Amino acid sequence: MSHSLYPLRRQRLQRSTLAVPASNVTMIDKAAESAADVVFLDLEDAVAPPEKAQARKNAVEALNRIDWEARGKTVSVRINGLDTPYMYRDVVDIMEQAGDRVHMLLVPKLGVVADLYMVEALVNQIEQACGLTRRVGIEALIETALGMANVEEIARYAATSDSRLEALHFGVADYAASMRARTVNIGGLNPAYPGDQWHASLSRMIIACRAYGLRALDGPFGDFADPDGYILAAERAAALGFEGKWAIHPSQIEMANTVFSPPEAEVTRAHRIIEELRKAEAAGKGAAALDGKMIDAASEKMAMNVISLAQAIEARGQAPVAAE
């Protein structure tokens, strides 16, 4: 193991991230009662320009009115991009009027480290000026060719500075547009491509996240009338190590929670791995056998990942997923 280690910067249960347009108060209220682990109030793509100011007011009101933590929710706000005239007011109003109620800000279309630095500097100043005690985290969307080209540098900056960055999300829709990729459905597969055309980008992003202690989240799947397609996309992301996926429709929440929760049998096996390795350790051995397979220190690390996730889910009041 290298002497340079970057532990996870902030652990949050984030199997499902529900996107909610802040222009729709009814949808915000329903989101607060949903089973989503994280809700983000969207001020960006889901809100038309004439509605931006009102959506911002709605977000501030919802943050202050709803007890998100009592509902087991982490709440985030997706601000507008740095290339728009809305971003600075999004940050100022959210932080000044609800900075002690919001958990994270989600920054879209992050391209270079300087983009992150700008948002953080603004947040830092507002927290100091207002005497806020909660340290608001930052998530960022990698959804442009520039962002993906700089993803390692962005992740490295977060790990080697006092950055607020906690997580990166893969924004497949804008990424496809940036890459001029031909796609038939947001987040879906193009049958003309031999396999998964998003695999290389997802792999690159999660490597950067895991190397430097950031959570990695998969983005939207546009066809909410295709649950099978959503599940397959989620399973591919989970196989790579992603912690969760967006839900752009309430029907996708349960699917995300299920796919990114370890099955009960997997949790049981993880505990057995730890038990057998402890027995082997007591006998002076570094490895053991379980169900005809060798297990060792690497097995213990994988098992502890499963156990810690199961414990986080249990703390939220949900049992592991039973095997079908």
Side-chain angles (χ1 to χ4, degrees), residues 185 187-189 218 220-239 245-246 251-260 324:
N185 168 35
L189 301 182
D218 192 19
F221 185 86
D223 188 355
F224 52 82
D226 180 13
D228 292 338
Y230 181 93
I231 291 172
L232 288 173
E235 288 177 341
R236 288 193 299 272
K245 184 170 178 62
W246 283 23
S251 65
Q252 295 177 336
I253 297 172
E254 183 178 355
M255 291 185 283
N257 286 347
T258 298
V259 171
F260 292 96
E324 293 183 357

Side-chain angles (χ1 to χ4, degrees), residues 12-29:
R12 294 187 194 270
L13 185 64
Q14 198 164 357
R15 300 165 299 172
S16 52
T17 298
L18 178 62
V20 183
S23 53
N24 191 318
V25 175
T26 300
M27 290 181 68
I28 294 174
D29 289 339

